[in-house]
Amino acid sequence: MSDADELLRIEGIRKTFPGVVALDGVDFDLRPGEVHVLLGENGAGKSTLIKMLSGAYTPDAGRILVGGEETRIQGAQDSERLGIATIYQEFNLVPDLTVAENIFLGRQPRRFGVIDRKRMEAEAAVLLERVGVNVSPRARVRELGIARLQMVEIAKALSLDARVLIMDEPTAVLTSEEVERLFAIVRKLREDGVGIVFITHHLEEIAALGDRVTVIRDGKSVGQVPASTPEDELVRLMVGRSIEQQYPRARADRGAALLTVEGLTRDGVFHDVSFEVHAGEVVGVAGLVGAGRTEVVRAVFGADPYDKGAVKVAGSDVPKYDVNAAMTAGMGLIPEDRKGQGLVLDASVEENLGLVTLRSATRAGLVDLKGQREAAERIAKQLGVRMAGLGQHVRTLSGGNQQKVVIGKWLLADTKVLILDEPTRGIDVGAKVEIYQLVNELTAAGAAVLMISSDLPEVLGMSDRVLVMAQGRIAGELSADEATQDAVMALAVSTPTPTPTTTTTTTTGTTGTEASGGH
């Protein structure tokens, strides 16, 4: 195939930042009507590469050819003019605008010089229907959950009628049904001759959707292989070593109940939710998007209000809607949206790691800066945070390293109950295993872990027990031996039977019986 027949070619691209070589001689090409997977650990350079194609960065060396012609992409308008659209892992939407306004931002259809809102909303509705999401074009973006935000981003990209579509972890927050819908869209685009650059950490998606794979490691392209390449070989290329066990759960001795939730209810959101998490165990929470998982744990942590029920840590009541009280009791929350809720992006690694312990490190109005720095150095080294130094802004770290910083601040606080909401979303295979090992260390030290994940194999592989939510209720509880994908999904799509009003708490046996009766 000649260069002119290619949609895109990158040759010898190099990009450096102060103290960091992000890309060092990367080669990549894209043909019409193919899905070319870009694979690599967090920090390998994938995000830097796609930011060059979207105009956010310019290369220090090398060249970019579009349609066989060398070009310079110096901004988003250049990228759009060349027919390149990018869907980022972290959403690029304006919360206070409507869905339609976001889809056509800067490109609103006009009539007699005035924005034609009726036409804009009609065209947005067609795009939203195309991606299979039931959202009003007039809805404010801030009202949407993460899964729907992702589909709005895809609709926005489709509106550009691009020849090159870059998708950065588009399935990270989608249910299996939504993933299949997305794959159908991608296959249709491929049939239409669109070239798709697809970035994923879900290795099973590569063979299902991809044609070719380019692997990047430490800023270099280390190989190009067919999408049918076995997963073990892909992992070896990506991390430079084999990973013997994907979910290395080390069972710890189970102690007393550290977290007790009794009859937690928020009208219209979740109902009569009761469970316990003991010292030394990981309790997974599974369910479809919209089941109420995140809403429950945010209420447990005091970030959101609830109408009825109680939360206890080590037997003591925790006042509702009071994050400080929850933290004082020994709870920590790693939120689903790490950038929006877990980090101060323009602060340094050191400052972010010290956020939770700042109050305890302050005496007579003075902060123990030396002690905070030493603690930050220790935890950053323990977690293997890849950075230029503790002073580096968190915004400039890769997604996986940002997540390590979020976890690190709670490790420094000696947290007794750690709530993990989508802890490995957008994180590569190697970094996932490191985070799982941290979970093992926490439970071995006697902590209790409550983990929400839309990655069902992760829930099954790392949990000692699994709670399944459906329609705002606990639909059932499964032991590690009982928890299979089929068993979890059967509960996730069930209609849970409401607990009788005479029952004040839900035991494991009662929950399981009700779930069975609900079928």
Side-chain angles (χ1 to χ4, degrees), residues 240-518:
R241 62 188 187 278
S242 61
I243 296 179
E244 300 301 329
Q245 190 177 1
Q246 194 171 1
Y247 303 106
R249 175 69 182 128
R251 310 295 171 187
D253 293 335
R254 174 173 156 164
L258 289 183
L259 175 65
T260 303
V261 176
E262 298 176 344
L264 213 63
T265 298
R266 182 178 176 186
D267 290 341
V269 182
F270 50 83
H271 314 275
D272 198 27
V273 173
S274 300
F275 60 86
E276 290 182 339
V277 187
H278 291 246
E281 75 170 345
V282 177
V283 173
V285 185
L288 303 178
V289 170
R293 298 168 300 166
T294 292
E295 290 81 359
V296 166
V297 298
R298 283 180 57 82
V300 167
F301 186 64
D304 290 339
Y306 55 89
D307 300 314
K308 292 187 295 184
V311 176
K312 298 179 181 181
V313 172
S316 298
D317 287 322
V318 179
K320 68 178 181 180
Y321 205 19
D322 189 339
V323 169
N324 286 330
M327 290 166 56
T328 301
M331 270 198 281
L333 170 66
I334 295 170
E336 179 182 23
D337 179 5
R338 61 173 170 261
K339 283 194 173 183
Q341 300 169 356
L343 296 165
V344 180
L345 293 175
D346 290 322
S348 68
V349 172
E350 179 181 354
E351 289 165 334
N352 272 276
L353 285 171
L355 284 174
V356 179
T357 55
L358 187 60
R359 181 182 298 176
S360 62
T362 302
R363 296 287 184 275
L366 299 175
V367 179
D368 179 9
L369 294 177
K370 181 182 178 183
Q372 286 283 88
R373 170 168 280 270
E374 288 175 350
E377 286 178 345
R378 172 175 56 80
I379 207 72
K381 183 177 181 180
Q382 177 187 341
L383 296 178
V385 178
R386 296 179 63 176
M387 58 185 180
L390 286 174
Q392 183 175 350
H393 279 193
V394 162
R395 181 185 298 279
T396 63
L397 297 179
S398 69
N401 286 299
Q402 287 178 348
Q403 188 74 323
K404 289 180 182 180
V405 172
V406 180
I407 293 173
K409 71 180 183 183
W410 293 112
L411 293 181
L412 279 176
D414 197 23
T415 302
K416 289 190 289 189
V417 177
L418 187 60
I419 303 170
L420 306 172
D421 192 355
E422 304 291 356
T424 63
R425 180 170 75 87
I427 292 179
D428 62 75
V429 176
K432 280 183 179 182
V433 173
E434 292 173 0
I435 288 173
Y436 298 151
Q437 295 288 14
L438 289 171
V439 170
N440 288 337
E441 291 174 20
L442 281 166
T443 54
V449 174
L450 182 66
M451 183 180 73
I452 295 173
S453 178
S454 298
D455 183 349
L456 194 48
E458 177 176 79
V459 172
L460 300 179
M462 289 301 296
S463 301
D464 299 304
R465 289 185 289 128
V466 178
L467 304 174
V468 185
M469 288 195 67
Q471 301 178 29
R473 297 180 184 274
I474 301 288
E477 177 183 310
L478 301 167
S479 68
D481 292 337
E482 295 169 331
T484 63
Q485 294 206 27
D486 289 344
V488 170
M489 289 308 299
L491 288 170
V493 300
S494 69
T495 301
T497 303
T499 304
T501 54
T502 54
T503 304
T504 56
T505 60
T506 303
T507 65
T508 300
T510 303
T511 304
T513 302
E514 289 167 351
S516 300

Side-chain angles (χ1 to χ4, degrees), residues 84-415:
I84 301 171
T86 304
I87 302 171
Y88 288 105
Q89 178 185 333
E90 305 296 344
F91 308 129
N92 189 25
L93 299 169
V94 182
D96 290 325
L97 296 183
T98 67
V99 169
E101 288 167 338
N102 269 279
I103 289 174
F104 292 103
L105 190 62
R107 303 173 291 112
Q108 298 94 330
R110 294 179 179 271
R111 189 177 184 217
F112 306 123
V114 179
I115 293 175
D116 188 344
R117 188 166 294 276
K118 184 176 180 180
R119 178 183 161 196
M120 179 176 70
E121 290 175 353
E123 292 181 4
V126 171
L127 289 164
L128 292 167
E129 185 178 0
R130 187 177 174 190
V131 299
V133 61
N134 184 21
V135 173
S136 168
R138 298 180 181 180
R140 298 283 171 185
V141 159
R142 69 166 59 258
E143 300 168 359
L144 305 181
I146 283 187
R148 286 190 169 93
L149 290 176
Q150 177 69 82
M151 302 309 278
V152 171
E153 282 278 22
I154 295 168
K156 180 180 175 181
L158 293 179
S159 74
L160 295 168
D161 196 25
R163 300 299 298 162
V164 173
L165 182 59
I166 302 168
M167 309 183 84
D168 186 6
E169 290 286 342
T171 66
V173 296
L174 304 183
T175 65
S176 56
E177 182 181 343
E178 290 164 336
V179 168
E180 282 304 315
R181 189 179 301 133
L182 172 64
F183 281 11
I185 293 167
V186 171
R187 291 182 183 112
K188 178 64 168 64
L189 291 170
R190 179 167 57 185
E191 290 173 6
D192 293 340
V194 176
I196 294 121
V197 181
F198 198 89
I199 298 173
T200 183
H201 291 130
H202 297 289
L203 298 183
E204 70 277 4
E205 295 178 356
I206 295 173
L209 193 66
D211 296 300
R212 289 187 293 159
V213 181
T214 288
V215 182
I216 297 180
R217 185 172 76 236
D218 297 330
K220 302 176 186 293
S221 41
V222 296
Q224 187 180 109
V225 295
S228 57
T229 301
E231 289 186 9
D232 289 350
E233 176 63 13
L234 292 175
V235 169
R236 189 193 64 76
L237 284 169
M238 184 168 58
V239 303
R241 62 188 187 278
S242 61
I243 296 179
E244 300 301 329
Q245 190 177 1
Q246 194 171 1
Y247 303 106
R249 175 69 182 128
R251 310 295 171 187
D253 293 335
R254 174 173 156 164
L258 289 183
L259 175 65
T260 303
V261 176
E262 298 176 344
L264 213 63
T265 298
R266 182 178 176 186
D267 290 341
V269 182
F270 50 83
H271 314 275
D272 198 27
V273 173
S274 300
F275 60 86
E276 290 182 339
V277 187
H278 291 246
E281 75 170 345
V282 177
V283 173
V285 185
L288 303 178
V289 170
R293 298 168 300 166
T294 292
E295 290 81 359
V296 166
V297 298
R298 283 180 57 82
V300 167
F301 186 64
D304 290 339
Y306 55 89
D307 300 314
K308 292 187 295 184
V311 176
K312 298 179 181 181
V313 172
S316 298
D317 287 322
V318 179
K320 68 178 181 180
Y321 205 19
D322 189 339
V323 169
N324 286 330
M327 290 166 56
T328 301
M331 270 198 281
L333 170 66
I334 295 170
E336 179 182 23
D337 179 5
R338 61 173 170 261
K339 283 194 173 183
Q341 300 169 356
L343 296 165
V344 180
L345 293 175
D346 290 322
S348 68
V349 172
E350 179 181 354
E351 289 165 334
N352 272 276
L353 285 171
L355 284 174
V356 179
T357 55
L358 187 60
R359 181 182 298 176
S360 62
T362 302
R363 296 287 184 275
L366 299 175
V367 179
D368 179 9
L369 294 177
K370 181 182 178 183
Q372 286 283 88
R373 170 168 280 270
E374 288 175 350
E377 286 178 345
R378 172 175 56 80
I379 207 72
K381 183 177 181 180
Q382 177 187 341
L383 296 178
V385 178
R386 296 179 63 176
M387 58 185 180
L390 286 174
Q392 183 175 350
H393 279 193
V394 162
R395 181 185 298 279
T396 63
L397 297 179
S398 69
N401 286 299
Q402 287 178 348
Q403 188 74 323
K404 289 180 182 180
V405 172
V406 180
I407 293 173
K409 71 180 183 183
W410 293 112
L411 293 181
L412 279 176
D414 197 23
T415 302

